[in-house]
Amino acid sequence: MPNAVSLAPAVSALSPAPTFHAPLHTAHDDDAWWRSSVIYQVYPRSFRDLNGDGQGDLAGITAELHQLADLSVDAIWMSPFYTSPQRDGGYDVADYCDVDPMFGTLEDFDRLTARATKLGIKVIIDLVPNHCSSEHALFKAALAAEPGSPERAMFIFRDGTGPDGSNPPNNWQSHFGGSAWTRTLNDDGTPGQWYLHLFDSSQPDFNWDNPAVHAEFERILRFWLDRNVTGFRVDVAHALVKAEGLPDWHGRPDGCSTEEHPGHAAPMFGQRAIHDIYRRWRSILGEYDGDRILCAEATIDPLSRLVNWVRNDQMHQAFNFAYLHHPWDAARLREIITDSLQAFDSVGAPTTWVLSNHDVPRHATRFGEERPEVGLDRARAASLAMLALPGGVYLYQGEELGLPDHLTIPDELRQDPTFVRTGGERVGRDGCRVPLPWRADEPHYGFGSNDGGWLPQPEDWATLARDSQQADPASTLNLYRSALSLRKELGLGAGSLSWAVDADGTDTIAFLNNDVMVIFNMGQSDINVPAGSVLAASHADAGADGVLAPNRCVWLRLN
Ligand code: ISL
């Protein structure tokens, strides 16, 4: 038998006069900014270090905001910069109403928002209501107080099980590995009650059955709304309320569905009473001027359940993690886009699209399947396709530079608690959190002036540094710049979506948004594309002479 050779034609073609299915999603003229926004995630510790201590800071963000204005973003979302021992990258908050000295001061925050406002950029901050840091005054008071006290009632303390209480109260597992319970010590050194932490043991969960917790977070919301933030990205927004009696759970610790254990049965996620919290928060936001928003970080599946978070009396947006996790597979991607638009349209909310964030390997790494050049090609094409979709977009700092993950961080420098809690089995999320490269010729690529950042940068990032890319018209940075500005000019965020008939069932994603045809070749062969003027191209050769090579995307205005 000779080796199997593909008999598929080397060049397939989309019809020169393409036809489209009836619109799956129609254009709208609701001009609420968040329905079509581009929001850029800043991870403060790795953005820009102005004071040279190896950690990014608020002043560093302020100093570079003009670079984000140049990308035409509507808003930034800042990951936590609050007082924190940084056991989980600041998602372990010790004081919700102050800035960690590592990042600066509240005055630095005010300077940042003032500069952002001048540049026309809104500021969204991260709210972490499911848990705080074990260094938070409320948790310290709870530890010092008796079982059954009001101080302990702010958190979820329980007696252990087994004859001497030495087994945890239930079988829940931490997201980061190991049990979700840690036992306390009494003053006399004897073992005491256990407390719940869905994440690290340094992140005790609040007890949202307690009205005092509601009052505390309403105070925090108002503190920042009064300081003029435009809204909040709400961390693990689906976890706040736990099922009565805290029953055992045999499904995934993150509540994602498996065949045997659908996510809707998870006792620590998606409980009904959560929705009342967001109804209340939405009404608080409504008391303030400006169009302020809430965005849910909720790993809820399927999309038809997720949209319960964005009904019009609750949150404005929710991250679309189904989209973020799409494999390099056109059929699956088409399905996710279709399901997303149908699900979000059914409740009148915008879909958001997102490919990277601080919790997952960057898309240039994911799509490369261990081939960095392929990864960058695919990331450019996938980003261009995403920027043509109707709805909101979230970008993660550094994706506009085409950054991959740092894959060889030495174990002793790793910071993510996942690494330690799983005994190194899961390397954790440090690879996507590496300090940004600003200037090719400076130490640490201009991130800061010290001996090094809090995580090392790869040695081959000079060509990826922002200043190298600014000078190169074909760079990923200039691709993002032009695509983002065109997206705005052409109104694609508020636009429509109709699938091209002859791409059905193929390796090509092809759709029409308003009068722009978007073609994204996820297959292995060149395809012929209809004649038209090229509005944006992921690569210089994309769409040239009517041909689109694999791992390329093009926006066309048809002749
Ligand atoms: O990181 C994940 C997958 O790699 C997610 O499951 C993530 O842990 C989950 O979505 C919750 O994430 C958020 O809360 C965590 C924090 O560590 C993450 O950085 C944050 O995005 C606990 O606050």
Side-chain angles (χ1 to χ4, degrees):
M1 271 289 280
N3 286 342
V5 172
S6 166
L7 296 177
V11 175
S12 61
L14 292 177
S15 155
T19 53
F20 297 90
H21 291 287
L24 174 68
H25 172 88
T26 47
H28 64 81
D29 52 15
D30 180 335
D31 60 1
W33 72 275
W34 46 271
R35 290 187 172 274
S36 55
S37 52
V38 174
I39 303 181
Y40 180 102
Q41 180 187 359
V42 172
Y43 193 74
R45 204 173 176 187
S46 295
F47 191 74
R48 180 80 212 285
D49 167 23
L50 217 61
N51 68 1
D53 66 355
Q55 318 280 345
D57 39 47
L58 297 187
I61 300 169
T62 308
E64 303 294 355
L65 275 176
H66 63 285
Q67 310 266 14
L68 306 184
D70 191 46
L71 285 173
S72 323
V73 306
D74 298 292
I76 56 170
W77 144 39
M78 292 164 67
S79 280
F81 49 80
Y82 315 107
T83 315
S84 164
Q86 300 291 330
R87 294 280 296 275
D88 180 25
Y91 285 90
D92 47 327
V93 181
D95 183 347
Y96 288 86
C97 296
D98 207 351
V99 173
D100 194 283
M102 168 206 287
F103 295 121
T105 61
L106 279 171
E107 290 65 44
D108 288 324
F109 181 81
D110 292 340
R111 276 189 278 274
L112 187 157
T113 49
R115 175 82 179 131
T117 306
K118 238 186 208 142
L119 291 166
I121 298 176
K122 302 174 196 302
V123 176
I124 290 170
I125 61 173
D126 216 311
L127 186 71
V128 190
N130 180 65
H131 47 263
C132 60
S133 159
S134 49
E135 298 293 311
H136 194 292
L138 286 173
F139 190 69
K140 287 190 187 164
L143 281 183
E146 293 296 310
S149 60
E151 289 84 354
R152 287 221 168 171
M154 295 298 282
F155 297 91
I156 304 179
F157 280 88
R158 292 287 184 279
D159 293 331
T161 54
D164 55 358
S166 61
N167 295 324
N170 69 18
N171 76 345
W172 294 4
Q173 296 293 298
S174 149
H175 241 60
F176 297 155
S179 172
W181 295 91
T182 290
R183 196 167 192 184
T184 59
L185 280 182
N186 296 321
D187 282 349
D188 61 4
T190 56
Q193 285 193 304
W194 298 71
Y195 66 89
L196 178 72
H197 51 86
L198 292 183
F199 293 87
D200 189 53
S201 55
S202 65
Q203 295 167 291
D205 279 42
F206 280 111
N207 171 20
W208 279 89
D209 292 336
N210 183 348
V213 171
H214 293 239
E216 174 63 4
F217 273 90
E218 290 181 13
R219 182 183 75 83
I220 295 164
L221 281 177
R222 289 183 190 282
F223 176 88
W224 290 106
L225 288 167
D226 289 338
R227 267 202 137 79
N228 255 332
V229 302
T230 296
F232 304 90
R233 173 265 190 196
V234 182
D235 191 60
V236 271
H238 55 314
L240 277 46
V241 178
K242 278 77 179 176
E244 206 183 325
L246 309 180
D248 277 355
W249 165 243
H250 299 282
R252 284 174 48 147
D254 62 4
C256 289
S257 294
T258 60
E259 225 156 80
E260 271 178 77
H261 300 288
H264 65 76
M268 66 292 270
F269 296 116
Q271 304 300 307
R272 274 182 181 279
I274 294 182
H275 299 287
D276 292 334
I277 300 173
Y278 302 134
R279 288 191 183 101
R280 172 77 188 131
W281 290 7
R282 176 114 177 198
S283 76
I284 292 176
L285 262 62
E287 293 172 26
Y288 287 80
D289 62 356
D291 209 354
R292 311 205 189 192
I293 68 161
L294 297 166
C295 175
E297 190 233 12
T299 42
I300 285 284
D301 63 37
L303 285 155
S304 53
R305 270 180 76 222
L306 176 64
V307 298
N308 289 325
W309 266 253
V310 287
R311 293 181 179 275
N312 67 9
D313 58 346
Q314 298 179 49
M315 300 223 177
H316 301 75
Q317 297 181 332
F319 293 111
N320 184 342
F321 289 125
Y323 185 79
L324 183 146
H325 291 297
H326 79 73
W328 194 261
D329 174 336
R332 185 69 194 114
L333 179 54
R334 237 185 328 264
E335 189 175 36
I336 289 172
I337 294 173
T338 299
D339 289 353
S340 302
L341 289 169
Q342 282 173 342
F344 284 89
D345 282 350
S346 74
V347 296
T351 314
T352 64
W353 311 104
V354 56
L355 284 169
S356 280
N357 67 30
H358 66 294
D359 285 334
V360 294
R362 289 176 174 280
H363 57 286
T365 295
R366 290 201 312 275
F367 292 147
E369 297 158 3
E370 299 183 17
R371 297 161 299 167
E373 274 157 32
V374 174
L376 182 57
D377 279 348
R378 288 183 168 183
R380 290 172 64 118
S383 299
L384 190 63
M386 173 175 78
L387 292 177
L389 288 168
V393 169
Y394 276 85
L395 305 176
Y396 175 48
Q397 68 178 35
E399 72 169 81
E400 76 278 22
L401 305 175
L403 295 188
D405 265 33
H406 188 344
L407 296 173
T408 54
I409 297 176
D411 287 350
E412 64 278 14
L413 298 181
R414 291 192 181 281
Q415 310 263 342
D416 186 348
T418 313
F419 180 74
V420 172
R421 289 186 67 89
T422 62
E425 197 186 308
R426 282 158 58 194
V427 290
R429 301 159 295 178
D430 296 318
C432 66
R433 299 176 174 181
V434 169
L436 291 185
W438 291 91
R439 278 172 280 281
D441 296 333
E442 289 184 15
H444 320 296
Y445 308 116
F447 166 67
S449 55
N450 72 319
D451 291 343
W454 67 287
L455 282 172
Q457 295 160 306
E459 276 163 22
D460 56 355
W461 271 13
T463 52
L464 294 173
R466 190 170 299 260
D467 68 344
S468 315
Q469 297 208 32
Q470 268 157 347
D472 173 6
S475 68
T476 307
L477 178 62
N478 280 317
L479 169 67
Y480 268 74
R481 277 186 69 221
S482 56
L484 284 160
S485 129
L486 257 180
R487 175 189 153 85
K488 194 158 262 180
E489 188 186 315
L490 302 171
L492 299 182
S496 59
L497 189 137
S498 309
W499 293 117
V501 171
D502 54 1
D504 285 350
T506 71
D507 281 338
T508 299
I509 294 285
F511 61 87
L512 194 68
N513 178 344
N514 295 341
D515 66 344
V516 179
M517 184 169 183
V518 178
I519 310 170
F520 173 23
N521 184 353
M522 300 181 86
Q524 309 279 342
S525 332
D526 289 357
I527 54 175
N528 287 341
V529 297
S533 48
V534 172
L535 300 173
S538 63
H539 299 74
D541 63 3
D545 304 323
V547 174
L548 189 69
N551 307 330
R552 304 281 192 271
C553 175
V554 68
W555 297 0
L556 291 178
R557 179 162 291 131
L558 300 177
N559 286 342

